[in-house]
Amino acid sequence: MRILVTGGVRSGKSRHAEGLLSDAAAVTYVAPGRPADGADPDWDARVARHRADRPAHWTTVETGQVADAVAGADGAVLVDCLGTWLVALMDVGELWDATTEEAHTAVAAQIGPLCDALAASPRAVVVTNEVGLGVVPAHRSGVLFRDLLGILNQRVAAVCDEVHLVIAGRVLKL
């Protein structure tokens, strides 16, 4: 069973995703965002809070190589979250200033292997942010991120058995 959990910021996505795997004997938690590094105290506190909330028997892998981490997971896998992974891809690939076509091509090259790894995983939960429900971004980088995350979410949803939308802590199975 593969489940994509989507919703807005602070909607309860991570808590719901973790609860979906509460009965798993082994879970690999893939954190594709920037690790706590002292550069941003707010981010560091958020990372620390997420680490503290996870069960002690879960294995945490902090990496941008999400497809490899999913493919190498022993047991269930939880990826939290695709939005932070996309930001890392954009940063590492210096795609914020690339042409739209270059950015789309570079990200698409990473989406394929991720979807293949997820499709081969017997039990995976993937968390992502839902964008595009509000105002149109005022800057090109915001539009680019919104469009790429929308494409990423659609591709991952296509290999999942279920999609859960979390709003204000409530879950809707789509």
Side-chain angles (χ1 to χ4, degrees):
M1 170 74 66
R2 288 164 302 280
I3 301 172
L4 177 64
V5 177
T6 188
V9 173
R10 294 296 199 193
S11 62
K13 300 180 305 290
S14 295
R15 183 175 53 252
H16 174 64
E18 291 169 5
L20 290 169
L21 296 175
S22 63
D23 66 336
V27 176
T28 300
Y29 186 103
V30 181
R34 182 177 53 81
D37 60 7
D40 180 347
D42 291 333
W43 178 257
D44 293 354
R46 188 178 191 132
V47 170
R49 187 174 51 256
H50 274 284
R51 286 176 180 159
D53 287 346
R54 288 180 217 134
H57 68 280
W58 287 18
T59 302
T60 299
V61 178
E62 294 180 349
T63 182
Q65 304 302 316
V66 178
D68 292 342
V70 169
D74 185 26
V77 64
L78 192 157
V79 178
D80 192 358
C81 109
L82 294 181
T84 56
W85 180 59
L86 178 58
V87 169
L89 289 177
M90 300 290 290
D91 288 347
V92 169
E94 299 180 352
L95 299 175
W96 295 109
D97 295 321
T99 67
T100 300
E101 183 179 337
E102 290 168 337
H104 280 256
T105 299
V107 171
Q110 299 297 317
I111 295 173
L114 172 62
C115 288
D116 291 345
L118 288 169
S121 177
R123 190 168 184 195
V125 177
V126 181
V127 177
T128 191
N129 295 302
E130 192 59 44
V131 295
L133 296 174
V135 297
V136 175
H139 301 283
R140 179 185 177 277
S141 60
V143 171
L144 184 61
F145 177 81
R146 178 204 58 198
D147 292 351
L148 288 170
L149 188 59
I151 291 166
L152 173 58
N153 288 348
Q154 289 179 54
R155 294 274 309 275
V156 170
V159 299
C160 287
D161 302 298
E162 295 180 0
V163 176
H164 296 186
L165 174 63
V166 182
I167 299 176
R170 300 293 181 111
V171 180
L172 298 170
K173 292 183 182 180
L174 306 178

